[in-house]
Amino acid sequence: MNPKRKQRLFMTSFVLVATALTVSLVFMALEQNMNMFYPPADVAQGKVPLNQTVRAGGMVLEGSVERASDSLAVIFTLTDHQGADFVVTYTGILPDLFREGQGILVEGELNRAGVFEAVEVLAKHDENYMPPELMDMPGAAPATASTEALPGLGERE
Amino acid sequence: MIPELGLYSLILAGCLALATSGGGLLAAGNPLLQRWVLSLTVGQCLFCALAFAALVWSFATDDFSVAYVANHSNSLLPWYYKISATWGGHEGSFLLWILIMSSWMLALALRSHNYPPSLATRVLAVLALMNLGFICFAVFTSNPFLRLIPMTPADGADLNPLLQDFGLIVHPPLLYCGYVGLAVPFAFAVAALIEGRVDATWARWCKTWTNMAWAFLTLGITLGSWWAYYELGWGGWWFWDPVENASFMPWLAATALVHSLAVTDKRGAFKSWTLLLAIAGFSLSLLGAFIVRSGVLTSVHSFAVDPERGLFILLFLLLVVGGSLTLYAFRAGRGFIHVSYGLLSREFFMLINNVILVVSLAVVLWGTLAPIAYEAATDAKISVGPPFFNVFYVPLGCALAAVLALLPGINWKRTERARLQPILVAGLWGLLVAVLVWFILDPASLTVATAVGLGAWIWITHGVDLWRKRKALSRAYIGMTMAHLGFAATIIGIAITATQSVERDVRMLPQDRIELAGMEVTFLGVKAVDGPNYRAQQGVFLVNNGSGGFSLRPEKRRYLSGGNVMTEAGIHAGWFGDTYIALGEPLDASQGAWAVRLHYKPLVRWIWLGAVLMALGGMLAILDRRYRALRARQLSAGMAVAAS
């Protein structure tokens, strides 16, 4: 083989092998690290696979937040205000915008008793932000549409 | 009155952009038109600056009849945040984007005598066409000058407290300089495709601008990461958030472009590939703008959702990508010259570098867009977490580091195997460092030992190389070495911070003591402190690290106008590690108990210092005589022509 062809062959096979390797790795990794999102109704109806990392979300039920007296353990209920709800346990610091009545996301596993053991709690980032996963949920209509046009009329404390 | 003048200026700038692009693209060879394009560019920049100044003026004078000001400012804001609030929301930040675009054009126009007039004219025309698209987007979908009359509010809704920070004053302008700066190599590529001329000189011209844009982008991303670290109160510095990914993708493409341009410059190879990367870089900038501004992706810091804006950017993106790729398909293959090189050559190593960077890019692109594709296809919602990215970035980063460590021993064209010997000996020292790291660190991890060993190897080979060549060092070479040393520092910083950090979330009562990474932290209690537009609860912590002590005062702030609560972390920064304390929430008011987040993050500063070193290296390389000599040569040639 002349050197020109040899070089081209090397280059092409190098690029091809790298591409094939990456594509297969991407799919494998995606399969393992993809977290499905479930609304409260799915969790309540047992559609969520047990002991597997998933995301769930809903509104924090008023009066459901309870802190332990000697640790950072906390327990609260997420609801869709349509009759479906589930209990979440979490140990750690809650985000600044975690409040009762607010829409939040939790990431973790559902255990056999139907309790969601969260390892991460994500809340809205500011007054106008709603996690898009919660957008379609009734009662979670984002404040953005109204408050953007008319400042001062949004939900304020 | 002033806001209306701003809008008129913006529309005028748009008209000038239309004239520039039309004239420049249709008759680039006409000397009269060439001068015309230069003055139009100056005019366009002037009117963009006027429009921006009008918006800044509205903010400075608390003109709440302007809807954008009313939404993003408040009379209680300190003056410097009133100014920076100009780019605190979608409309204003896009006006800043336009201003920066026209500033790049002005810079190009001022240096246009360095380039053949027809090329400069075409480059400016392509840039003007892009800016025309941006201005139309602003005027038709995101007008920052809309008035709220007669329902003028008495006071503004306030700037998001997260943005009331020094980091956010400088982060967007730097980042946009990078994003928009990538339009310049893009325009150079399109102009080269139109003219059918890509050679080493073209690569040298393009390289100056690419390096500049790349350096700005690097600084912008670094600042963003640093800001997230101290302002979000989570103690993390990178979250693989879609918006972060949106800035990381063009950076990867630009990094590949800087290296590929070096090959085109020195050896005349990789021409088509370089052109493709230049097109990809700017297209990814636009994709980033789409991700951030359309609201299609779940992110903690994207702007408000508006389908019309998303559609506009998507169409613009399709036009830019489609148009440039069509041009590429018809023109790129021309003038192909075969340049031969061996496997042990800089050319081949640059190829490996580019493959690794493009694969990294594909991974981020896939991880960012997969949730959208998945939802469109199955209607179920998914999220892709950091583990996905880590699976790829650990091996890819190590591979890139290994290639880089070998680089000083590799010549252009081909290398004698014997020349690699000192590099491999240096590799043994790297191995020694890795073994030491393996035994010292707890928890020990093979990846960390590998990463630190590779980082040390890069330092040794580059350091020795710098010492050997000390008598004949060009600025470009020093710049390159600086950037590579910075990369090694960043890799070491990431590896150590990611695995050796101590993080404790605890419940603390006043006078409680707790041990953190060999230090003793005492919580003295929380007191009330008032700021200009917020009330804060300030925790007081005493940290004793054996040899001495310091106090940290993290705050929990409640902003008066919006009722937003925000965490201000207390950080004691050091060369070898940061002590980081943030207040969680009050747990028991009667006892004064608080949830407290205590972190010790070793070498976290190295991540940003390394990145800053990379950016400075990129900027230093531009000052090289190689690029200025070109101008002097041309000037003397021009004078010779004039004299005859």
Side-chain angles (χ1 to χ4, degrees):
Chain A
M1 229 187 312
N2 72 27
K4 214 187 258 184
R5 285 226 183 116
K6 200 170 160 190
Q7 184 191 342
R8 210 172 284 170
L9 185 71
F10 261 122
M11 297 251 294
T12 321
S13 43
F14 175 69
V15 171
L16 275 181
V17 168
T19 324
L21 209 66
T22 331
V23 171
S24 43
L25 275 176
V26 163
F27 276 102
M28 265 163 57
L30 204 60
E31 200 119 288
Q32 285 164 14
N33 296 301
M34 196 172 76
N35 303 326
M36 296 288 289
F37 170 81
Y38 297 93
D42 284 4
V43 184
Q45 286 164 19
K47 284 188 188 164
V48 178
L50 298 180
N51 303 326
Q52 187 183 321
T53 303
V54 293
R55 273 187 175 195
M59 258 57 66
V60 182
L61 188 68
E62 305 315 275
S64 73
V65 184
E66 267 179 67
R67 271 279 186 198
S69 60
D70 56 347
S71 71
L72 288 178
V74 63
I75 188 165
F76 55 89
T77 305
L78 288 183
T79 176
D80 60 0
H81 293 306
Q82 305 254 303
D85 50 33
F86 62 99
V87 176
V88 181
T89 61
Y90 174 69
T91 303
I93 293 171
L94 295 167
D96 285 344
L97 286 157
F98 179 93
R99 270 172 235 157
E100 295 185 347
Q102 197 102 68
I104 63 153
L105 292 176
V106 286
E107 194 172 304
E109 296 176 4
L110 193 69
N111 69 15
R112 274 175 201 288
V115 174
F116 197 97
E117 295 169 354
V119 288
E120 203 170 351
V121 175
L122 306 158
K124 304 206 301 179
H125 216 59
D126 66 56
E127 294 290 329
N128 294 326
Y129 174 74
M130 169 68 67
E133 278 99 330
L134 300 179
M135 287 276 196
D136 324 332
M137 219 174 276
T144 30
S146 56
T147 51
E148 264 253 308
L150 298 170
L153 296 183
E155 170 209 344
R156 304 265 180 247
E157 281 167 70
Chain B
M1 184 61 184
I2 299 281
E4 278 69 34
L5 281 180
L7 183 58
Y8 294 148
S9 306
L10 190 59
I11 295 172
L12 258 172
C15 297
L16 294 182
L18 181 66
T20 316
S21 54
L25 286 176
L26 294 177
N30 184 330
L32 185 68
L33 219 62
Q34 287 164 355
R35 249 170 288 152
W36 200 50
V37 160
L38 290 185
S39 16
L40 280 177
T41 303
V42 176
Q44 190 186 329
C45 185
L46 186 74
F47 282 112
C48 287
L50 275 179
F52 190 75
L55 193 61
V56 173
W57 176 263
S58 307
F59 269 96
T61 57
D62 288 334
D63 188 350
F64 297 124
S65 70
V66 178
Y68 179 71
V69 179
N71 275 324
H72 294 93
S73 186
N74 184 281
S75 53
L76 289 177
L77 269 185
W79 66 269
Y80 39 91
Y81 292 142
K82 279 183 185 165
I83 306 293
S84 73
T86 311
W87 52 88
H90 163 72
E91 291 89 344
S93 64
F94 203 76
L95 193 60
L96 177 68
W97 176 291
I98 291 170
L99 175 68
I100 289 172
M101 180 74 174
S102 61
S103 308
W104 277 106
M105 290 174 65
L106 182 69
L108 237 155
L110 291 178
R111 300 187 57 82
S112 62
H113 50 266
N114 288 353
Y115 314 114
S118 66
L119 180 77
T121 309
R122 286 200 171 98
V123 169
L124 281 172
V126 173
L127 287 172
L129 194 62
M130 297 300 118
N131 208 22
L132 177 64
F134 296 152
I135 292 173
C136 286
F137 177 67
V139 172
F140 295 123
T141 74
S142 335
N143 179 2
F145 298 108
L146 278 182
R147 293 273 204 171
L148 285 172
I149 294 175
M151 289 176 52
T152 303
D155 207 338
D158 206 0
L159 179 65
N160 183 343
L162 281 174
L163 308 185
Q164 297 182 24
D165 177 74
F166 169 76
L168 250 288
I169 297 182
V170 283
H171 165 62
L174 279 175
L175 191 65
Y176 290 0
C177 277
Y179 270 151
V180 176
L182 289 182
V184 183
F186 169 82
F188 265 97
V190 171
L193 283 171
I194 295 175
E195 297 198 338
R197 181 195 158 184
V198 184
D199 51 22
T201 338
W202 173 87
R204 221 169 295 168
W205 291 330
C206 190
K207 201 169 175 230
T208 325
W209 299 97
T210 311
N211 268 22
M212 204 70 195
W214 175 84
F216 275 124
L217 196 56
T218 311
L219 284 180
I221 296 173
T222 309
L223 258 166
S225 157
W226 177 58
W227 168 82
Y229 169 75
Y230 72 77
E231 195 68 14
L232 292 182
W234 302 336
W237 53 273
W238 191 263
F239 301 97
W240 293 111
D241 177 281
V243 172
E244 289 171 334
N245 294 348
S247 66
F248 193 44
M249 287 188 284
W251 185 85
L252 287 169
T255 311
L257 178 60
V258 166
H259 291 91
S260 162
L261 269 171
V263 182
T264 311
D265 171 10
K266 291 266 168 64
R267 299 274 295 133
F270 291 12
K271 283 180 189 170
S272 308
W273 177 240
T274 301
L275 290 171
L276 197 60
L277 279 178
I279 293 173
F282 182 57
S283 306
L284 288 165
S285 277
L286 290 179
L287 180 72
F290 170 70
I291 288 174
V292 179
R293 293 166 192 279
S294 70
V296 290
L297 280 173
T298 314
S299 162
V300 284
H301 43 320
S302 50
F303 292 105
V305 182
D306 186 338
E308 194 186 323
R309 285 173 194 161
L311 196 64
F312 191 108
I313 305 182
L314 200 59
L315 279 177
F316 186 67
L317 179 65
L318 288 179
L319 278 177
V320 170
V321 176
S324 50
L325 285 187
T326 310
L327 192 63
Y328 178 82
F330 282 107
R331 295 294 191 101
R334 292 191 184 180
F336 180 83
I337 306 166
H338 187 84
V339 182
S340 71
Y341 47 87
L343 282 185
L344 274 182
S345 66
R346 288 212 163 193
E347 289 91 328
F348 193 69
F349 271 58
M350 296 291 207
L351 181 70
I352 301 176
N353 155 299
N354 268 239
V355 168
I356 295 176
L357 287 170
V358 170
V359 167
S360 317
L361 174 61
V363 168
V364 188
L365 189 70
W366 186 265
T368 313
L369 297 184
I372 309 181
Y374 198 84
E375 192 180 345
T378 65
D379 215 28
K381 287 164 179 150
I382 59 161
S383 62
V384 177
F388 168 78
F389 296 100
N390 293 346
V391 165
F392 291 99
Y393 271 79
V394 172
L396 283 172
C398 287
L400 195 57
V403 173
L404 179 53
L406 291 169
L407 183 79
I410 308 286
N411 293 335
W412 293 104
K413 281 172 111 168
R414 69 182 63 80
T415 313
E416 301 297 319
R417 273 172 210 275
R419 256 186 68 94
L420 279 182
Q421 208 174 352
I423 303 289
L424 295 176
V425 172
L428 289 180
W429 285 101
L431 192 66
L432 185 68
V433 171
V435 171
L436 278 177
V437 166
W438 171 265
F439 279 109
I440 292 170
L441 287 190
D442 177 48
S445 131
L446 193 60
T447 13
V448 176
T450 314
V452 177
L454 285 171
W457 191 15
I458 294 175
W459 278 350
I460 298 168
T461 55
H462 279 76
V464 170
D465 185 49
L466 212 54
W467 176 252
R468 281 229 186 99
K469 294 184 177 151
R470 66 189 178 278
K471 296 239 169 75
L473 277 174
S474 65
R475 283 189 186 135
Y477 204 83
I478 302 176
M480 179 197 81
T481 309
M482 257 169 83
H484 288 168
L485 293 175
F487 174 76
T490 301
I491 288 244
I492 295 176
I494 291 172
I496 297 288
T497 309
T499 57
Q500 307 300 313
S501 291
V502 183
E503 307 185 354
R504 302 193 64 177
D505 291 356
V506 289
R507 175 191 164 95
M508 283 185 104
L509 289 164
Q511 303 308 324
D512 267 1
R513 276 156 203 257
I514 193 165
E515 189 269 340
L516 174 75
M519 297 177 292
E520 189 190 56
V521 183
T522 314
F523 178 43
L524 294 183
V526 169
K527 62 177 183 182
V529 179
D530 281 356
N533 54 347
Y534 60 85
R535 294 236 161 85
Q537 288 178 291
Q538 191 184 64
V540 183
F541 293 84
L542 277 183
V543 183
N544 190 338
N545 56 8
S547 55
F550 52 88
S551 73
L552 284 179
R553 292 163 186 272
E555 288 180 5
K556 200 88 200 172
R557 292 179 182 171
R558 174 172 289 273
Y559 283 78
L560 299 176
S561 54
N564 275 321
V565 179
M566 227 210 48
T567 307
E568 189 82 12
I571 301 172
H572 183 263
W575 288 104
F576 295 105
D578 277 19
T579 311
Y580 182 108
I581 301 182
L583 286 179
E585 67 220 78
L587 294 175
D588 190 337
S590 59
Q591 291 175 300
W594 277 78
V596 181
R597 174 170 284 154
L598 302 146
H599 286 192
Y600 179 73
K601 306 195 110 20
L603 300 195
V604 68
R605 303 271 141 188
W606 288 36
I607 301 173
W608 306 306
L609 288 176
V612 169
L613 210 56
M614 285 191 239
L616 291 179
M619 287 187 179
L620 184 67
I622 309 173
L623 300 176
D624 196 62
R625 221 174 263 137
R626 211 170 132 68
Y627 304 108
R628 279 188 301 167
L630 202 71
R631 182 183 160 189
R633 254 205 315 276
Q634 277 180 344
L635 275 184
S636 55
M639 266 184 261
V641 172
S644 66

